[in-house]
Amino acid sequence: MKSKSIGFSLIELLVVIAIVAMLAAYALPNYRDYVMRSKRAEAQNKLLEIAGMFEKYYANTNRYPAGLTGGGNNLNLDSSYLTWEDYQITAATGGGWTLTATARGGQAQDTECPTINYNNLGQKTPLECWQ
């Protein structure tokens, strides 16, 4: 009479490990891409929020603010609001404005969109980063 062994054979275990490895090889890059795109969307939202502040300032004073931080003719935003782990936001002013979010930290690996721009004419560049 044969005795039945309980458990898995080495071949069965290796097959399962190979399947898990293939799934991980497919899932991890997609997950990283998803995280990168979600952080990019966060920066885009902040650019649009600051653009609204610029336009509100213009509606109240009939001129655009001179900058993002500091008092006087600036928006007086806190630097921690403009710089976080993944992006840093800067503004170029003079007749209009252009806001730029520059990737930093782990997000700097986003080679498709190292910078994201939005200006007072509603132009979003690079366009493929805003889709």
Side-chain angles (χ1 to χ4, degrees):
M1 175 171 216
K2 281 188 179 179
S3 66
K4 269 192 150 178
S5 63
I6 299 174
F8 300 105
S9 70
L10 181 60
I11 299 296
E12 291 170 331
L13 191 59
L14 289 176
V15 168
V16 169
I17 290 172
I19 291 171
V20 169
M22 285 188 290
L23 289 174
Y26 176 75
L28 283 176
N30 288 334
Y31 174 74
R32 286 187 188 125
D33 184 53
Y34 172 77
V35 169
M36 198 167 295
R37 286 185 292 133
S38 69
K39 290 179 179 182
R40 189 185 311 153
E42 179 185 0
Q44 292 167 346
N45 288 334
K46 199 161 276 201
L47 287 177
L48 294 172
E49 184 178 351
I50 295 171
M53 293 176 193
F54 267 83
E55 293 303 324
K56 183 178 179 181
Y57 187 97
Y58 184 84
N60 291 330
T61 63
N62 205 29
R63 64 181 169 168
Y64 288 117
L68 297 171
T69 59
N73 295 332
N74 296 307
L75 285 180
N76 199 23
L77 297 175
D78 188 48
S79 62
S80 64
Y81 179 78
L82 301 170
T83 303
W84 66 101
E85 184 179 323
D86 303 310
Y87 281 93
Q88 178 176 8
I89 295 180
T90 56
T93 59
W97 51 266
T98 300
L99 297 171
T100 302
T102 305
R104 48 179 271 155
Q107 191 69 14
Q109 296 174 5
D110 185 2
T111 56
E112 293 177 22
C113 304
T115 60
I116 305 168
N117 302 299
Y118 185 60
N119 67 21
N120 62 303
L121 301 175
Q123 297 169 330
K124 300 174 180 178
T125 56
L127 191 58
E128 59 274 2
C129 296
W130 284 87
Q131 297 175 348

